[in-house]
Amino acid sequence: MELIILFFVLSTLSYIIIKRNIAKITTTPTWLLWLALMIPPLIWVGWYLTNPKDSMPPLLVFLPLILSPIVYVWLIEMGKISPQEKEKTSESIDIQKPEKTLFEELSSAQKEKNNHTPPINPQEEKALRDCFPWGVYYLQKVDYLPQAILCLGKLMTAPEKAYPTIKNNLEKVFDDRFLIIFQETLQGQPFFALVPNPHSVTAKTKLPEEKLTKPVTAIILLLLTLLTTTIIGAEISGVEVAELETNPELILQGLPYSLCLIAILGIHELSHYLFAVYYRIRTTLPYFIPIPFFLGTFGAFISIKSPMPNRKAVFDVAIAGPLGGFLVTIPVLVWGLAYSTVVDMPDRMNMLQFEALDPRFSFLMAVLSKLVMGSELIADKAISLHPAAVAGYIGLIVTALNLMPVGQLDGGHIVHAMFGQGKAVIIGQITRVLMIMLAFVRSEFLLWAIILLFMPTVDQPALNDVTELDNGRDLLGLFALILLIVILLPLPSTVAQWLNL
Protein backbone atom coordinates (compact mmCIF):
# COMPACT_ATOMS: atom_id res chain seq x y z
CA MET A 1 0.00 0.00 0.00
CA GLU A 2 2.84 2.41 0.89
CA LEU A 3 4.50 1.65 -2.46
CA ILE A 4 1.32 2.51 -4.36
CA ILE A 5 0.86 5.80 -2.46
CA LEU A 6 4.50 6.74 -3.13
CA PHE A 7 4.03 5.89 -6.80
CA PHE A 8 1.00 8.16 -7.20
CA VAL A 9 2.63 11.05 -5.31
CA LEU A 10 5.87 10.96 -7.28
CA SER A 11 4.13 10.36 -10.62
CA THR A 12 1.98 13.42 -9.98
CA LEU A 13 5.05 15.50 -9.22
CA SER A 14 6.67 14.23 -12.44
CA TYR A 15 3.64 15.28 -14.48
CA ILE A 16 3.71 18.76 -12.91
CA ILE A 17 7.42 19.17 -13.71
CA ILE A 18 6.89 18.24 -17.36
CA LYS A 19 3.77 20.40 -17.68
CA ARG A 20 5.47 23.49 -16.23
CA ASN A 21 8.74 23.27 -18.12
CA ILE A 22 9.04 20.89 -21.08
CA ALA A 23 5.53 21.43 -22.48
CA LYS A 24 6.58 24.98 -23.44
CA ILE A 25 9.16 23.82 -25.99
CA THR A 26 7.42 20.88 -27.68
CA THR A 27 4.01 20.01 -29.14
CA THR A 28 4.26 16.40 -27.95
CA PRO A 29 1.37 15.73 -25.53
CA THR A 30 2.35 16.06 -21.89
CA TRP A 31 0.79 12.70 -21.02
CA LEU A 32 2.98 10.97 -23.62
CA LEU A 33 6.16 12.56 -22.26
CA TRP A 34 5.06 11.58 -18.76
CA LEU A 35 4.43 7.99 -19.87
CA ALA A 36 7.89 7.76 -21.44
CA LEU A 37 9.53 8.85 -18.20
CA MET A 38 7.30 6.66 -16.03
CA ILE A 39 8.14 3.43 -17.88
CA PRO A 40 10.73 2.32 -15.25
CA PRO A 41 8.54 2.85 -12.13
CA LEU A 42 5.53 1.35 -13.91
CA ILE A 43 7.54 -1.79 -14.67
CA TRP A 44 9.05 -1.93 -11.18
CA VAL A 45 5.78 -1.41 -9.34
CA GLY A 46 4.07 -3.96 -11.58
CA TRP A 47 6.79 -6.50 -10.80
CA TYR A 48 6.63 -5.99 -7.04
CA LEU A 49 2.82 -6.24 -7.04
CA THR A 50 2.80 -9.48 -9.03
CA ASN A 51 6.03 -11.03 -7.62
CA PRO A 52 6.40 -9.66 -4.07
CA LYS A 53 8.73 -12.45 -2.93
CA ASP A 54 11.03 -12.62 -5.95
CA SER A 55 13.96 -10.32 -6.64
CA MET A 56 13.72 -8.29 -9.83
CA PRO A 57 15.98 -9.41 -12.72
CA PRO A 58 18.82 -6.94 -13.38
CA LEU A 59 17.56 -6.50 -16.96
CA LEU A 60 14.28 -5.06 -15.69
CA VAL A 61 16.17 -2.70 -13.39
CA PHE A 62 18.68 -1.19 -15.82
CA LEU A 63 17.09 -1.54 -19.29
CA PRO A 64 14.12 0.79 -18.52
CA LEU A 65 16.53 3.34 -17.03
CA ILE A 66 18.44 3.38 -20.32
CA LEU A 67 15.49 3.35 -22.72
CA SER A 68 13.24 5.81 -20.86
CA PRO A 69 15.39 8.97 -21.26
CA ILE A 70 16.16 8.06 -24.88
CA VAL A 71 12.46 7.82 -25.75
CA TYR A 72 11.75 10.96 -23.71
CA VAL A 73 14.31 13.09 -25.59
CA TRP A 74 13.17 11.63 -28.92
CA LEU A 75 9.56 12.62 -28.20
CA ILE A 76 10.67 16.16 -27.28
CA GLU A 77 12.64 16.50 -30.51
CA MET A 78 9.79 15.07 -32.59
CA GLY A 79 7.45 17.79 -31.36
CA LYS A 80 9.95 20.59 -30.91
CA ILE A 81 8.51 23.95 -31.90
CA SER A 82 10.30 25.29 -35.00
CA PRO A 83 11.42 28.92 -35.43
CA GLN A 84 8.77 29.40 -38.14
CA GLU A 85 5.99 28.35 -35.77
CA LYS A 86 7.35 30.67 -33.14
CA GLU A 87 7.36 33.61 -35.53
CA LYS A 88 3.64 33.11 -36.22
CA THR A 89 2.82 33.90 -32.59
CA SER A 90 5.45 36.56 -31.98
CA GLU A 91 6.25 39.89 -33.62
CA SER A 92 9.99 39.41 -33.21
CA ILE A 93 12.55 36.70 -32.69
CA ASP A 94 11.59 34.68 -29.61
CA ILE A 95 14.35 35.26 -27.10
CA GLN A 96 12.13 35.27 -24.05
CA LYS A 97 13.72 32.19 -22.51
CA PRO A 98 17.32 33.44 -22.71
CA GLU A 99 16.17 36.79 -21.35
CA LYS A 100 14.81 35.11 -18.23
CA THR A 101 18.04 33.32 -17.66
CA LEU A 102 20.06 36.46 -18.06
CA PHE A 103 18.05 38.85 -15.97
CA GLU A 104 14.74 37.68 -14.54
CA GLU A 105 12.92 40.97 -14.77
CA LEU A 106 13.29 41.26 -18.56
CA SER A 107 10.32 38.99 -19.22
CA SER A 108 7.92 41.58 -17.83
CA ALA A 109 9.95 44.44 -19.30
CA GLN A 110 9.38 43.02 -22.80
CA LYS A 111 5.79 44.25 -22.65
CA GLU A 112 6.90 47.81 -21.94
CA LYS A 113 9.72 48.14 -24.46
CA ASN A 114 7.76 50.26 -26.94
CA ASN A 115 7.15 52.95 -24.29
CA HIS A 116 10.66 52.91 -22.88
CA THR A 117 13.20 55.60 -23.68
CA PRO A 118 16.27 54.08 -25.40
CA PRO A 119 19.30 54.00 -23.06
CA ILE A 120 21.53 55.44 -25.81
CA ASN A 121 21.12 58.45 -28.13
CA PRO A 122 20.91 58.28 -31.96
CA GLN A 123 24.64 59.02 -32.39
CA GLU A 124 25.52 56.18 -30.01
CA GLU A 125 23.13 53.84 -31.81
CA LYS A 126 24.88 54.54 -35.11
CA ALA A 127 28.23 53.86 -33.46
CA LEU A 128 26.77 50.67 -31.97
CA ARG A 129 25.68 49.41 -35.39
CA ASP A 130 29.16 50.12 -36.76
CA CYS A 131 30.58 47.76 -34.10
CA PHE A 132 29.11 44.78 -35.96
CA PRO A 133 31.16 44.06 -39.11
CA TRP A 134 29.13 42.25 -41.77
CA GLY A 135 31.65 39.41 -42.00
CA VAL A 136 31.51 38.79 -38.24
CA TYR A 137 27.89 39.36 -37.19
CA TYR A 138 25.23 40.66 -39.60
CA LEU A 139 23.14 42.98 -37.40
CA GLN A 140 19.47 43.01 -38.42
CA LYS A 141 17.63 44.59 -35.51
CA VAL A 142 18.22 46.52 -32.27
CA ASP A 143 15.62 46.18 -29.50
CA TYR A 144 15.57 48.44 -26.46
CA LEU A 145 14.41 47.02 -23.15
CA PRO A 146 14.51 48.82 -19.78
CA GLN A 147 17.44 46.69 -18.62
CA ALA A 148 19.22 45.84 -21.87
CA ILE A 149 19.88 46.53 -25.53
CA LEU A 150 19.34 43.44 -27.67
CA CYS A 151 21.25 43.14 -30.94
CA LEU A 152 19.70 40.50 -33.18
CA GLY A 153 21.17 39.16 -36.38
CA LYS A 154 23.13 36.32 -37.99
CA LEU A 155 26.50 34.95 -36.97
CA MET A 156 28.88 34.98 -39.94
CA THR A 157 32.01 33.46 -38.36
CA ALA A 158 33.06 31.16 -35.52
CA PRO A 159 31.72 32.18 -32.08
CA GLU A 160 35.22 32.20 -30.53
CA LYS A 161 36.22 34.84 -33.11
CA ALA A 162 32.99 36.83 -33.13
CA TYR A 163 32.69 37.54 -29.40
CA PRO A 164 36.12 39.13 -28.78
CA THR A 165 35.83 41.16 -31.99
CA ILE A 166 32.39 42.58 -31.17
CA LYS A 167 33.29 43.03 -27.50
CA ASN A 168 36.42 45.05 -28.33
CA ASN A 169 34.48 47.21 -30.79
CA LEU A 170 31.72 47.93 -28.28
CA GLU A 171 34.19 48.72 -25.49
CA LYS A 172 35.85 51.31 -27.73
CA VAL A 173 32.50 53.10 -28.00
CA PHE A 174 30.99 52.55 -24.54
CA ASP A 175 34.09 51.75 -22.47
CA ASP A 176 32.92 49.65 -19.46
CA ARG A 177 29.41 51.12 -19.41
CA PHE A 178 27.83 47.80 -20.49
CA LEU A 179 28.40 44.10 -19.94
CA ILE A 180 28.55 42.41 -23.35
CA ILE A 181 26.57 39.16 -23.32
CA PHE A 182 26.60 36.61 -26.16
CA GLN A 183 23.82 34.00 -26.01
CA GLU A 184 21.59 31.79 -28.14
CA THR A 185 17.82 31.69 -28.49
CA LEU A 186 15.97 28.39 -28.05
CA GLN A 187 16.24 27.98 -31.81
CA GLY A 188 20.03 28.30 -31.69
CA GLN A 189 20.26 31.85 -33.07
CA PRO A 190 23.15 33.77 -31.43
CA PHE A 191 22.41 37.30 -30.23
CA PHE A 192 24.22 40.03 -28.29
CA ALA A 193 22.85 41.87 -25.27
CA LEU A 194 24.25 45.02 -23.66
CA VAL A 195 23.40 45.18 -19.95
CA PRO A 196 24.36 48.12 -17.69
CA ASN A 197 27.53 47.30 -15.78
CA PRO A 198 26.90 47.85 -12.04
CA HIS A 199 30.65 48.11 -11.43
CA SER A 200 31.42 50.52 -14.24
CA VAL A 201 34.15 53.04 -13.47
CA THR A 202 32.96 55.53 -16.08
CA ALA A 203 29.22 55.36 -15.34
CA LYS A 204 27.63 58.43 -13.74
CA THR A 205 25.90 56.31 -11.12
CA LYS A 206 27.48 53.12 -9.92
CA LEU A 207 26.88 50.81 -7.01
CA PRO A 208 29.21 51.06 -4.04
CA GLU A 209 31.90 48.37 -4.00
CA GLU A 210 31.06 45.48 -1.74
CA LYS A 211 33.89 44.10 0.34
CA LEU A 212 33.94 40.44 -0.61
CA THR A 213 36.88 39.04 1.32
CA LYS A 214 36.06 38.88 5.02
CA PRO A 215 38.82 36.69 6.46
CA VAL A 216 37.78 37.23 10.10
CA THR A 217 34.28 35.96 9.38
CA ALA A 218 35.66 32.99 7.45
CA ILE A 219 38.05 32.05 10.28
CA ILE A 220 35.36 32.35 12.97
CA LEU A 221 32.99 30.12 11.01
CA LEU A 222 35.82 27.64 10.40
CA LEU A 223 36.61 27.43 14.13
CA LEU A 224 32.95 27.05 15.06
CA THR A 225 32.58 24.28 12.48
CA LEU A 226 35.69 22.59 13.84
CA LEU A 227 34.07 22.62 17.29
CA THR A 228 30.67 21.31 16.21
CA THR A 229 32.10 18.59 13.95
CA THR A 230 34.54 17.48 16.66
CA ILE A 231 31.66 17.08 19.13
CA ILE A 232 29.66 15.09 16.58
CA GLY A 233 32.79 13.08 15.74
CA ALA A 234 33.23 12.17 19.41
CA GLU A 235 29.63 10.95 19.51
CA ILE A 236 30.22 8.90 16.33
CA SER A 237 33.25 7.30 18.01
CA GLY A 238 31.02 6.16 20.89
CA VAL A 239 31.47 8.93 23.48
CA GLU A 240 28.24 9.81 25.32
CA VAL A 241 27.23 13.42 25.98
CA ALA A 242 27.34 12.77 29.73
CA GLU A 243 30.93 11.53 29.41
CA LEU A 244 31.92 14.71 27.56
CA GLU A 245 30.54 16.79 30.43
CA THR A 246 32.58 14.92 33.04
CA ASN A 247 35.70 14.46 30.92
CA PRO A 248 36.04 17.16 28.21
CA GLU A 249 39.28 15.60 26.94
CA LEU A 250 37.21 12.85 25.31
CA ILE A 251 36.21 15.40 22.67
CA LEU A 252 39.61 14.82 21.07
CA GLN A 253 38.34 11.46 19.85
CA GLY A 254 36.21 13.40 17.39
CA LEU A 255 39.20 15.02 15.67
CA PRO A 256 39.69 12.27 13.03
CA TYR A 257 36.14 12.90 11.84
CA SER A 258 36.17 16.68 12.07
CA LEU A 259 39.60 17.27 10.51
CA CYS A 260 38.91 14.87 7.63
CA LEU A 261 35.45 16.29 6.92
CA ILE A 262 36.67 19.89 7.05
CA ALA A 263 39.56 18.98 4.74
CA ILE A 264 37.16 17.45 2.18
CA LEU A 265 34.64 20.31 2.28
CA GLY A 266 37.35 22.96 2.51
CA ILE A 267 39.32 21.68 -0.50
CA HIS A 268 36.07 21.45 -2.45
CA GLU A 269 35.20 25.11 -1.90
CA LEU A 270 38.82 26.30 -2.04
CA SER A 271 39.14 24.71 -5.49
CA HIS A 272 36.08 26.70 -6.63
CA TYR A 273 37.56 29.85 -5.13
CA LEU A 274 41.03 29.52 -6.66
CA PHE A 275 39.67 28.93 -10.17
CA ALA A 276 37.30 31.87 -9.76
CA VAL A 277 40.25 34.05 -8.78
CA TYR A 278 42.21 32.72 -11.76
CA TYR A 279 39.44 33.90 -14.11
CA ARG A 280 39.16 37.22 -12.22
CA ILE A 281 35.63 36.51 -11.09
CA ARG A 282 34.45 38.42 -8.04
CA THR A 283 33.79 35.92 -5.27
CA THR A 284 33.70 35.59 -1.50
CA LEU A 285 36.02 33.46 0.57
CA PRO A 286 34.81 29.93 1.45
CA TYR A 287 32.45 30.02 4.44
CA PHE A 288 31.58 26.98 6.57
CA ILE A 289 28.12 26.49 8.09
CA PRO A 290 28.35 25.05 11.63
CA ILE A 291 25.41 23.26 13.27
CA PRO A 292 25.43 21.54 16.70
CA PHE A 293 23.63 18.37 15.49
CA PHE A 294 23.38 15.91 12.58
CA LEU A 295 26.81 15.96 10.85
CA GLY A 296 28.09 19.05 12.69
CA THR A 297 27.94 21.18 9.53
CA PHE A 298 25.76 21.91 6.54
CA GLY A 299 28.87 22.18 4.40
CA ALA A 300 30.63 25.24 3.01
CA PHE A 301 29.99 27.68 0.19
CA ILE A 302 31.35 30.58 -1.82
CA SER A 303 29.20 33.31 -3.37
CA ILE A 304 30.11 34.46 -6.89
CA LYS A 305 29.30 38.15 -7.43
CA SER A 306 30.14 38.71 -11.11
CA PRO A 307 29.26 36.98 -14.39
CA MET A 308 31.35 34.13 -15.76
CA PRO A 309 33.35 35.31 -18.80
CA ASN A 310 32.71 32.19 -20.91
CA ARG A 311 31.64 28.55 -20.78
CA LYS A 312 35.23 27.44 -20.24
CA ALA A 313 35.31 29.41 -16.99
CA VAL A 314 31.90 28.01 -16.01
CA PHE A 315 33.23 24.49 -16.53
CA ASP A 316 36.57 24.97 -14.79
CA VAL A 317 35.14 26.68 -11.72
CA ALA A 318 32.33 24.11 -11.44
CA ILE A 319 34.31 20.91 -11.88
CA ALA A 320 37.24 22.04 -9.71
CA GLY A 321 35.19 21.65 -6.51
CA PRO A 322 33.94 18.06 -6.89
CA LEU A 323 37.24 16.81 -8.28
CA GLY A 324 39.28 18.60 -5.61
CA GLY A 325 37.07 17.24 -2.84
CA PHE A 326 37.06 13.77 -4.40
CA LEU A 327 40.87 13.65 -4.50
CA VAL A 328 40.86 14.19 -0.73
CA THR A 329 37.87 11.91 -0.12
CA ILE A 330 39.46 8.75 -1.56
CA PRO A 331 42.59 8.63 0.67
CA VAL A 332 40.52 9.64 3.72
CA LEU A 333 37.99 6.88 2.99
CA VAL A 334 40.69 4.26 2.39
CA TRP A 335 42.43 5.22 5.63
CA GLY A 336 39.16 5.13 7.58
CA LEU A 337 38.12 1.76 6.11
CA ALA A 338 41.45 0.28 7.19
CA TYR A 339 40.43 1.00 10.81
CA SER A 340 36.78 0.02 10.40
CA THR A 341 35.33 -3.31 11.49
CA VAL A 342 33.00 -5.86 9.94
CA VAL A 343 29.68 -6.51 11.69
CA ASP A 344 26.57 -8.54 11.01
CA MET A 345 24.08 -7.13 8.56
CA PRO A 346 21.17 -5.45 10.40
CA ASP A 347 17.54 -6.12 9.51
CA ARG A 348 16.88 -2.50 8.57
CA MET A 349 19.41 -0.19 6.96
CA ASN A 350 19.74 3.38 5.73
CA MET A 351 22.43 5.51 4.13
CA LEU A 352 23.40 7.20 7.41
CA GLN A 353 23.65 4.07 9.58
CA PHE A 354 27.36 4.45 10.29
CA GLU A 355 27.53 1.67 12.91
CA ALA A 356 26.35 -0.95 10.37
CA LEU A 357 26.55 0.35 6.81
CA ASP A 358 25.88 -1.85 3.80
CA PRO A 359 28.51 -0.73 1.23
CA ARG A 360 26.68 -2.45 -1.64
CA PHE A 361 24.34 0.52 -2.07
CA SER A 362 27.16 2.20 -4.04
CA PHE A 363 29.32 0.55 -6.69
CA LEU A 364 32.33 2.69 -5.79
CA MET A 365 31.89 2.31 -2.02
CA ALA A 366 31.57 -1.46 -2.35
CA VAL A 367 34.68 -1.84 -4.53
CA LEU A 368 36.81 0.38 -2.26
CA SER A 369 35.58 -1.46 0.85
CA LYS A 370 36.43 -4.83 -0.66
CA LEU A 371 39.88 -3.67 -1.78
CA VAL A 372 40.72 -2.32 1.68
CA MET A 373 39.07 -4.93 3.92
CA GLY A 374 39.73 -7.95 1.70
CA SER A 375 38.39 -11.38 2.66
CA GLU A 376 37.15 -10.03 5.98
CA LEU A 377 34.22 -8.37 4.20
CA ILE A 378 31.94 -11.03 2.72
CA ALA A 379 28.28 -11.41 1.82
CA ASP A 380 25.72 -10.65 4.55
CA LYS A 381 28.22 -8.47 6.39
CA ALA A 382 28.13 -4.73 7.03
CA ILE A 383 30.77 -2.21 8.11
CA SER A 384 31.02 -0.30 11.36
CA LEU A 385 32.70 2.83 10.05
CA HIS A 386 35.64 4.46 11.78
CA PRO A 387 35.04 8.23 12.25
CA ALA A 388 37.52 8.99 9.44
CA ALA A 389 35.65 6.55 7.19
CA VAL A 390 32.42 8.35 8.07
CA ALA A 391 33.98 11.60 6.87
CA GLY A 392 35.15 9.93 3.65
CA TYR A 393 31.74 8.36 3.12
CA ILE A 394 30.05 11.75 3.57
CA GLY A 395 32.58 13.11 1.07
CA LEU A 396 31.28 10.61 -1.49
CA ILE A 397 27.69 11.65 -0.84
CA VAL A 398 28.60 15.35 -1.11
CA THR A 399 30.46 14.68 -4.37
CA ALA A 400 27.47 12.83 -5.84
CA LEU A 401 24.95 15.47 -4.77
CA ASN A 402 27.06 18.28 -6.20
CA LEU A 403 27.55 16.42 -9.49
CA MET A 404 23.79 16.15 -10.06
CA PRO A 405 23.33 17.86 -13.48
CA VAL A 406 20.56 20.16 -12.29
CA GLY A 407 20.41 23.96 -12.23
CA GLN A 408 22.96 25.70 -10.05
CA LEU A 409 24.60 22.59 -8.64
CA ASP A 410 28.15 21.93 -9.86
CA GLY A 411 26.83 19.24 -12.19
CA GLY A 412 24.31 21.72 -13.61
CA HIS A 413 27.13 24.16 -14.36
CA ILE A 414 29.13 21.34 -15.97
CA VAL A 415 26.40 20.20 -18.40
CA HIS A 416 25.58 23.86 -19.13
CA ALA A 417 29.19 24.42 -20.18
CA MET A 418 29.31 21.17 -22.16
CA PHE A 419 26.00 21.26 -24.01
CA GLY A 420 24.67 24.81 -23.75
CA GLN A 421 21.92 26.22 -21.61
CA GLY A 422 18.94 24.86 -23.55
CA LYS A 423 20.10 21.24 -23.48
CA ALA A 424 21.23 21.61 -19.86
CA VAL A 425 17.64 22.45 -18.86
CA ILE A 426 16.39 19.27 -20.55
CA ILE A 427 19.13 17.20 -18.87
CA GLY A 428 18.16 18.73 -15.54
CA GLN A 429 14.51 17.77 -16.05
CA ILE A 430 15.47 14.19 -16.96
CA THR A 431 17.69 13.99 -13.88
CA ARG A 432 14.83 15.15 -11.67
CA VAL A 433 12.52 12.43 -12.94
CA LEU A 434 15.22 9.74 -12.84
CA MET A 435 15.85 10.62 -9.20
CA ILE A 436 12.13 10.26 -8.52
CA MET A 437 12.29 6.85 -10.18
CA LEU A 438 15.30 5.90 -8.06
CA ALA A 439 13.33 6.88 -4.96
CA PHE A 440 10.89 4.06 -5.81
CA VAL A 441 13.71 1.53 -5.62
CA ARG A 442 15.51 3.12 -2.65
CA SER A 443 13.49 5.33 -0.35
CA GLU A 444 16.68 7.04 0.93
CA PHE A 445 16.75 9.06 -2.29
CA LEU A 446 13.30 10.54 -1.73
CA LEU A 447 14.88 13.53 0.05
CA TRP A 448 17.28 14.00 -2.88
CA ALA A 449 14.34 13.90 -5.30
CA ILE A 450 12.51 16.56 -3.29
CA ILE A 451 15.61 18.79 -3.14
CA LEU A 452 16.07 18.57 -6.91
CA LEU A 453 12.36 19.13 -7.48
CA PHE A 454 12.44 22.54 -5.84
CA MET A 455 15.81 23.56 -7.27
CA PRO A 456 15.73 25.88 -10.33
CA THR A 457 16.85 24.05 -13.46
CA VAL A 458 18.12 27.21 -15.19
CA ASP A 459 21.76 28.13 -14.66
CA GLN A 460 23.05 31.69 -14.99
CA PRO A 461 24.68 32.17 -18.42
CA ALA A 462 28.22 33.28 -19.10
CA LEU A 463 28.96 36.54 -20.91
CA ASN A 464 30.05 34.46 -23.90
CA ASP A 465 27.61 31.58 -23.64
CA VAL A 466 27.97 30.42 -27.25
CA THR A 467 31.60 29.33 -27.69
CA GLU A 468 31.84 25.60 -26.99
CA LEU A 469 34.38 23.70 -24.89
CA ASP A 470 37.43 21.88 -26.22
CA ASN A 471 37.56 18.06 -26.42
CA GLY A 472 39.70 17.74 -23.29
CA ARG A 473 37.13 19.47 -21.11
CA ASP A 474 34.31 17.48 -22.69
CA LEU A 475 36.10 14.26 -21.72
CA LEU A 476 36.67 15.55 -18.19
CA GLY A 477 33.00 16.43 -17.94
CA LEU A 478 32.06 12.94 -19.13
CA PHE A 479 34.32 11.50 -16.42
CA ALA A 480 32.49 13.60 -13.80
CA LEU A 481 29.12 12.22 -14.95
CA ILE A 482 30.48 8.65 -14.88
CA LEU A 483 31.77 9.30 -11.36
CA LEU A 484 28.25 10.34 -10.34
CA ILE A 485 26.86 7.09 -11.74
CA VAL A 486 29.38 4.78 -10.02
CA ILE A 487 28.70 6.49 -6.69
CA LEU A 488 24.91 6.35 -6.95
CA LEU A 489 24.23 3.02 -8.64
CA PRO A 490 24.18 -0.07 -6.41
CA LEU A 491 26.60 -2.94 -6.86
CA PRO A 492 25.15 -5.37 -9.45
CA SER A 493 24.48 -8.87 -8.11
CA THR A 494 26.84 -10.47 -10.66
CA VAL A 495 29.72 -8.25 -9.58
CA ALA A 496 28.84 -8.88 -5.91
CA GLN A 497 29.06 -12.63 -6.50
CA TRP A 498 32.39 -12.24 -8.29
CA LEU A 499 33.76 -10.20 -5.38
CA ASN A 500 32.14 -12.54 -2.81
CA LEU A 501 30.46 -9.48 -1.35
Side-chain angles (χ1 to χ4, degrees):
M1 185 63 183
E2 293 179 357
L3 180 64
I4 296 176
I5 294 174
L6 179 63
F7 171 80
F8 279 110
V9 171
L10 294 182
S11 61
T12 302
L13 293 175
S14 302
Y15 186 88
I16 293 173
I17 293 172
I18 297 171
K19 184 70 174 178
R20 291 177 57 185
N21 297 276
I22 302 302
K24 299 176 182 179
I25 64 173
T26 182
T27 58
T28 303
T30 302
W31 68 266
L32 190 57
L33 294 172
W34 173 85
L35 183 62
L37 281 177
M38 293 303 293
I39 289 174
L42 285 170
I43 293 175
W44 298 337
V45 171
W47 173 270
Y48 282 119
L49 291 178
T50 55
N51 305 276
K53 297 182 179 180
D54 298 332
S55 60
M56 187 181 299
L59 186 64
L60 285 182
V61 176
F62 294 104
L63 187 60
L65 284 175
I66 297 172
L67 293 179
S68 176
I70 294 175
V71 174
Y72 178 72
V73 173
W74 177 75
L75 288 173
I76 291 175
E77 292 296 326
M78 285 292 292
K80 196 167 184 180
I81 301 174
S82 66
Q84 292 76 17
E85 292 173 333
K86 279 285 185 180
E87 290 173 359
K88 291 179 182 179
T89 58
S90 176
E91 294 181 357
S92 60
I93 297 176
D94 182 9
I95 56 170
Q96 196 169 16
K97 185 70 176 181
E99 287 174 24
K100 289 182 180 178
T101 63
L102 275 169
F103 20 79
E104 297 174 356
E105 65 271 18
L106 289 190
S107 58
S108 59
Q110 175 77 22
K111 300 176 183 178
E112 306 171 4
K113 67 178 183 179
N114 293 330
N115 299 325
H116 181 72
T117 303
I120 59 177
N121 57 46
Q123 292 78 16
E124 289 176 324
E125 179 179 342
K126 182 181 183 304
L128 181 146
R129 291 180 178 275
D130 293 338
C131 291
F132 292 85
W134 184 89
V136 177
Y137 187 85
Y138 176 49
L139 184 62
Q140 297 172 310
K141 184 178 181 181
V142 177
D143 270 349
Y144 295 104
L145 300 180
Q147 289 86 4
I149 303 172
L150 300 181
C151 302
L152 312 172
K154 293 183 179 179
L155 185 65
M156 308 299 290
T157 187
E160 57 270 20
K161 296 180 180 179
Y163 181 74
T165 300
I166 302 300
K167 182 174 182 290
N168 290 336
N169 291 344
L170 290 171
E171 286 179 347
K172 290 177 182 177
V173 176
F174 299 105
D175 203 11
D176 65 344
R177 182 172 155 190
F178 295 103
L179 294 175
I180 315 301
I181 298 173
F182 191 30
Q183 269 201 281
E184 289 181 332
T185 66
L186 287 177
Q187 291 76 38
Q189 299 174 352
F191 70 95
F192 285 85
L194 280 67
V195 181
N197 182 3
H199 304 289
S200 172
V201 176
T202 59
K204 296 180 180 178
T205 59
K206 69 172 184 175
L207 298 178
E209 278 298 315
E210 177 187 3
K211 185 178 180 181
L212 297 180
T213 55
K214 300 177 181 178
V216 175
T217 302
I219 292 173
I220 291 174
L221 289 174
L222 171 61
L223 294 176
L224 288 174
T225 305
L226 178 61
L227 175 62
T228 55
T229 52
T230 302
I231 293 173
I232 298 299
E235 294 178 5
I236 291 174
S237 64
V239 179
E240 300 291 338
V241 177
E243 293 178 292
L244 285 176
E245 294 176 354
T246 57
N247 186 5
E249 291 184 0
L250 292 175
I251 196 176
L252 297 178
Q253 295 186 24
L255 286 177
Y257 168 79
S258 63
L259 293 178
C260 290
L261 184 59
I262 286 177
I264 293 170
L265 299 177
I267 292 298
H268 179 115
E269 294 303 328
L270 188 61
S271 299
H272 284 316
Y273 175 78
L274 291 177
F275 270 85
V277 171
Y278 172 78
Y279 282 105
R280 299 181 180 179
I281 299 166
R282 288 168 48 83
T283 182
T284 65
L285 292 170
Y287 296 125
F288 283 87
I289 307 173
I291 56 172
F293 54 90
F294 190 43
L295 303 176
T297 178
F298 272 149
F301 70 96
I302 64 171
S303 182
I304 293 177
K305 301 293 186 179
S306 63
M308 295 283 183
N310 47 54
R311 278 161 62 173
K312 183 174 79 170
V314 173
F315 181 88
D316 290 352
V317 173
I319 204 169
L323 291 188
F326 182 72
L327 291 176
V328 180
T329 294
I330 294 302
V332 166
L333 183 58
V334 169
W335 173 55
L337 287 172
Y339 289 93
S340 300
T341 57
V342 174
V343 297
D344 292 331
M345 187 74 70
D347 296 331
R348 301 185 66 179
M349 297 169 295
N350 61 65
M351 293 178 63
L352 297 178
Q353 194 170 332
F354 304 139
E355 66 277 5
L357 180 75
D358 183 4
R360 299 161 192 83
F361 84 94
S362 164
F363 184 94
L364 182 59
M365 182 71 181
V367 171
L368 285 176
S369 300
K370 186 64 177 179
L371 288 175
V372 174
M373 308 188 80
S375 59
E376 186 180 357
L377 181 62
I378 57 175
D380 299 325
K381 292 293 183 179
I383 305 174
S384 178
L385 295 178
H386 182 272
V390 173
Y393 168 68
I394 293 172
L396 281 185
I397 295 177
V398 169
T399 299
L401 182 58
N402 276 281
L403 285 176
M404 286 286 178
V406 178
Q408 297 183 15
L409 292 173
D410 293 335
H413 297 318
I414 291 170
V415 295
H416 165 204
M418 291 173 65
F419 305 110
Q421 196 170 51
K423 292 180 180 177
V425 171
I426 296 176
I427 293 172
Q429 297 290 1
I430 294 175
T431 302
R432 277 175 162 180
V433 180
L434 288 177
M435 186 53 60
I436 292 174
M437 295 176 184
L438 189 57
F440 281 103
V441 181
R442 296 174 55 196
S443 58
E444 298 95 333
F445 286 104
L446 179 58
L447 178 60
W448 289 41
I450 294 173
I451 291 173
L452 296 183
L453 181 64
F454 290 99
M455 179 170 291
T457 56
V458 178
D459 183 25
Q460 291 299 318
L463 295 179
N464 177 4
D465 211 50
V466 179
T467 301
E468 298 180 352
L469 299 180
D470 54 78
N471 292 335
R473 285 181 170 83
D474 282 334
L475 288 174
L476 190 58
L478 182 61
F479 168 77
L481 297 177
I482 293 173
L483 177 60
L484 169 64
I485 293 172
V486 298
I487 293 176
L488 282 188
L489 288 186
L491 185 70
S493 57
T494 52
V495 179
Q497 292 175 2
W498 179 65
L499 294 175
N500 189 24
L501 186 59

